Amino acid sequence: MTRFYYCLALCLVFVAVIPAFAGDPTAAYEGQRLFVSHCMICHGADGKGGGSLAQEMGLNPVDMTRTLRSRSDTILKKIISGEGGQTISGRDRHNVLTEAMPNWGEVLSEYQIDALIAYLRFLSTAKHEMMGDPVEGRDLYQKYCAVCHGEEGYGDGMMTKILDLEPMDHTNPVVMNGMSNEDIAEAIREGDGQYMPAWVGILGDEEIEALVSYIRLLAQ
Ligand code: HEC
Ligand code: HEC
């Protein structure tokens, strides 16, 4: 165990001195930020259509958590960018979107639209609320967790190369949806098994909640 903590300390030092270690954020994470700034005002935080602007303008965005399952990525790209007259097959109302849904192709890049689609897919399959701020969560994750769980959450961080560890893979949506927010928060607070450290005393409740939300965005 002493050797383990020595290695952990060494890795945390590496992390502190190599800023390049923080990799590119996942698509769903980028998409979440764009959704909050561009779409939530009409579609609502949960994607069900109850956003404040939609209510004020008397618009009726669909409940995306129900419709998206039957839409391919190609169709979603067209709907969001406004390309091709926003035709959606399989839609009752003349198969065409009303003009109430803005054309985002003019202001968002292709990468941003792909990121939004990743987040919309996450929204329509997620079974748990976001309990904290994922932006804060990402910083904390890169600082304290990526060393074992891997930058993208696959459970393949650099510590797994020098010690016999099997950190949880956070990218599996079935496993992650099977854990409640409180299950994850408790695992972070109290630790798990021999190698998952207990973070109580190092991280406060708000930081742990932020981490839970970020970890959810790794599953896709
Ligand atoms: C001004 C309000 C408004 C904003 C902002 C807005 N939408 Fe919409 N959106 C709508 C309305 C209204 C509909 C439903 C249109 C219809 O039924 O014809 C819609 C429909 C959609 C659909 C089709 C859902 C389906 O399955 O039929 C998608 C996907 C969508 N919006 C994505 C987005 C994204 C992504 C953003 C942010 C980049 C966004 N919307 C921002 C109003 C808005
Ligand atoms: C020193 C390596 C290490 C670090 C650092 C680490 N973990 Fe872990 N973590 C593990 C291992 C190993 C497991 C699997 C434990 C087991 O199954 O015995 C695990 C399991 C977990 C689990 C699942 C627990 C369960 O009940 O199945 C969660 C959630 C988790 N870690 C979150 C985090 C978060 C968040 C951080 C950063 C604050 C973090 N871990 C930092 C090694 C680590």
Side-chain angles (χ1 to χ4, degrees):
M1 275 314 263
T2 324
R3 183 169 161 260
F4 166 70
Y5 280 110
Y6 173 73
C7 290
L8 178 60
L10 208 65
C11 281
L12 291 175
V13 170
F14 277 139
V15 175
V17 297
I18 311 173
F21 185 77
D24 288 339
T26 63
Y29 171 82
E30 280 298 352
Q32 194 267 349
R33 304 182 70 182
L34 286 164
F35 185 84
V36 168
S37 56
H38 292 68
C39 324
M40 193 173 86
I41 192 159
C42 284
H43 287 281
D46 55 8
K48 291 187 176 165
S52 54
L53 184 63
Q55 282 175 4
E56 224 161 88
M57 291 173 67
L59 301 176
N60 190 17
V62 286
D63 176 353
M64 295 203 287
T65 63
R66 298 170 61 141
T67 58
L68 292 197
R69 235 158 295 167
S70 59
R71 307 230 182 277
S72 68
D73 284 3
T74 316
I75 289 290
L76 282 179
K77 233 178 242 184
K78 283 192 178 165
I79 294 176
I80 297 170
S81 66
E83 195 190 303
Q86 296 174 325
T87 305
I88 319 175
S89 59
R91 196 180 181 84
D92 294 326
R93 272 178 278 155
H94 317 297
N95 284 344
V96 175
L97 275 176
T98 58
E99 286 178 359
M101 164 65 185
N103 294 351
W104 296 99
E106 318 259 313
V107 290
L108 298 178
S109 70
E110 214 176 314
Y111 168 76
Q112 288 176 313
I113 292 178
D114 286 345
L116 274 163
I117 292 172
Y119 182 65
L120 295 183
R121 296 262 177 247
F122 168 83
L123 253 191
S124 57
T125 51
K127 300 210 167 16
H128 306 279
E129 309 251 313
M130 296 287 258
M131 68 186 323
D133 174 12
V135 178
E136 188 191 351
R138 176 167 192 264
D139 287 346
L140 292 165
Y141 182 88
Q142 296 294 344
K143 200 161 152 198
Y144 297 118
C145 323
V147 68
C148 288
H149 289 273
E151 282 175 43
E152 294 176 0
Y154 288 103
D156 60 354
M158 65 161 98
M159 285 287 266
T160 61
K161 296 186 176 60
I162 49 172
L163 287 169
D164 188 17
L165 300 182
E166 273 189 51
M168 180 185 208
D169 176 354
H170 296 311
T171 64
N172 183 327
V174 177
V175 174
M176 293 312 295
N177 268 331
M179 290 179 88
S180 70
N181 285 342
E182 192 37 49
D183 290 342
I184 302 178
E186 166 129 0
I188 300 172
R189 255 193 317 266
E190 311 295 337
D192 189 28
Q194 196 181 3
Y195 290 125
M196 166 64 191
W199 295 93
V200 61
I202 301 169
L203 299 174
D205 286 348
E206 202 188 304
E207 290 172 307
I208 291 177
E209 287 174 9
L211 274 164
V212 173
S213 293
Y214 178 67
I215 287 174
R216 292 239 178 260
L217 289 172
L218 295 171
Q220 48 190 296

